[in-house]
Amino acid sequence: MNNSLDSTLAAKMAAWEIDLFGVADLTACPADLDYEYGNIWNIYNRAISLAAYFPAAIVTQLQQGPSYTYLAYYDIINAHLNAVSLKLANFLTKQGFAAFPVPASQRVSPDKLAGIFSHRWAARLAGLGWIGKSGNLINPQVGPYLRLATVLTDAPLAPGVPLASRCGDCQICQKHCPAQAIKGINWQEGQALAERLNAGACNTYLTEMRQTFGKRICGRCVAFCPFGAKSSLEF
């Protein structure tokens, strides 16, 4: 691996105010990658996962219902991540590497709650956390109280090590899901999403929220996660 490039990446992440980052080895499970997203991404063997913390005081407002303050900072944090992703991709390109910045939040299909590439999948492989029963990335320090972006690349960066799940027997996210979409099953490698989550029920509930609140918003599985509730990060 290129230790100089790894050091440069760390310095840029600090300078660009990224709270957490890691590198995923995309060769670890290429079959899953091809199945979910097609082989268009096969030219990239690394994914740089970027995370920005979401203030706990704002996320926990969702325990009481939709929050316009949450929505405002959701857009602000995503914009920050997208700006950094673009700068990072351009930097890597100037160094002679391939790079593709994946938007922080982008739904590309009306019948699938997914973007062009999974930020959570990349973050898990990078060692930033594990996939919880809700489908959210759970970080040991701040739980799901964060937003993610990804830059795909072929730069020879040292990859992180995935973390084991710590959800155990906890069913809190399932208990507080108003759509009853979460089935309370621990994530497993190669497992179909439908085994853990009724995505259709989640999507229907979010559509109902748009009609009553004006925006597709819920986030109760995020707000009630015990790992997030233990977070001492207040901004």
Side-chain angles (χ1 to χ4, degrees):
M1 297 300 170
N2 189 328
N3 292 332
S4 176
L5 186 59
D6 289 316
S7 298
T8 300
L9 175 62
K12 288 190 176 296
M13 293 299 93
W16 293 341
E17 298 182 327
I18 291 298
D19 295 311
L20 193 64
F21 79 96
V23 177
D25 179 2
L26 298 186
T27 66
C29 43
D32 288 353
L33 182 63
D34 287 351
Y35 177 78
E36 290 291 340
Y37 302 102
N39 60 12
I40 188 174
W41 310 119
N42 286 0
I43 64 171
Y44 307 103
N45 58 13
R46 293 289 185 269
I48 304 171
S49 182
L50 317 176
Y53 294 149
F54 215 126
I58 294 175
V59 179
T60 52
Q61 288 184 337
L62 297 177
Q63 294 180 1
Q64 306 303 318
S67 163
Y68 287 109
T69 303
Y70 176 87
L71 285 172
Y73 281 103
Y74 180 94
D75 290 338
I76 290 169
I77 295 172
N78 282 348
H80 171 58
L81 287 169
N82 286 336
V84 173
S85 296
L86 179 60
K87 288 197 290 186
L88 178 56
N90 287 340
F91 165 75
L92 291 170
T93 300
K94 291 175 182 177
Q95 304 305 307
F97 304 113
F100 188 102
V102 181
S105 182
Q106 181 189 39
R107 184 178 176 186
V108 296
S109 171
D111 58 354
K112 186 177 181 182
L113 296 175
I116 58 176
F117 196 87
S118 173
H119 300 301
R120 297 168 185 174
W121 192 78
R124 180 188 69 83
L125 286 178
L128 301 190
W130 63 90
I131 305 297
K133 296 175 183 178
S134 62
N136 291 305
L137 182 87
I138 312 297
N139 174 265
Q141 284 72 49
V142 300
Y145 291 14
L146 43 71
R147 297 292 303 157
L148 298 166
T150 308
V151 175
L152 305 173
T153 185
D154 62 356
L157 295 161
V161 178
L163 303 180
S165 173
R166 300 186 194 174
C167 289
D169 296 328
C170 179
Q171 301 291 341
I172 290 177
C173 61
Q174 180 187 30
K175 173 184 175 182
H176 288 285
C177 177
Q180 298 183 329
I182 300 171
K183 300 181 180 181
I185 299 173
N186 278 309
W187 179 91
Q188 295 181 31
E189 187 80 50
Q191 180 188 57
L193 176 63
E195 294 183 33
R196 308 187 315 273
L197 181 73
N198 184 337
C202 179
N203 186 48
T204 297
Y205 181 80
L206 291 174
T207 299
E208 292 172 354
M209 291 304 299
R210 174 184 285 164
Q211 295 171 351
T212 59
F213 184 72
K215 295 288 185 179
R216 288 170 57 89
I217 179 176
C218 178
R220 287 169 65 85
C221 59
V222 174
F224 280 102
C225 177
F227 283 94
K230 294 175 183 176
S231 171
S232 60
L233 291 173
E234 296 292 346
F235 291 52

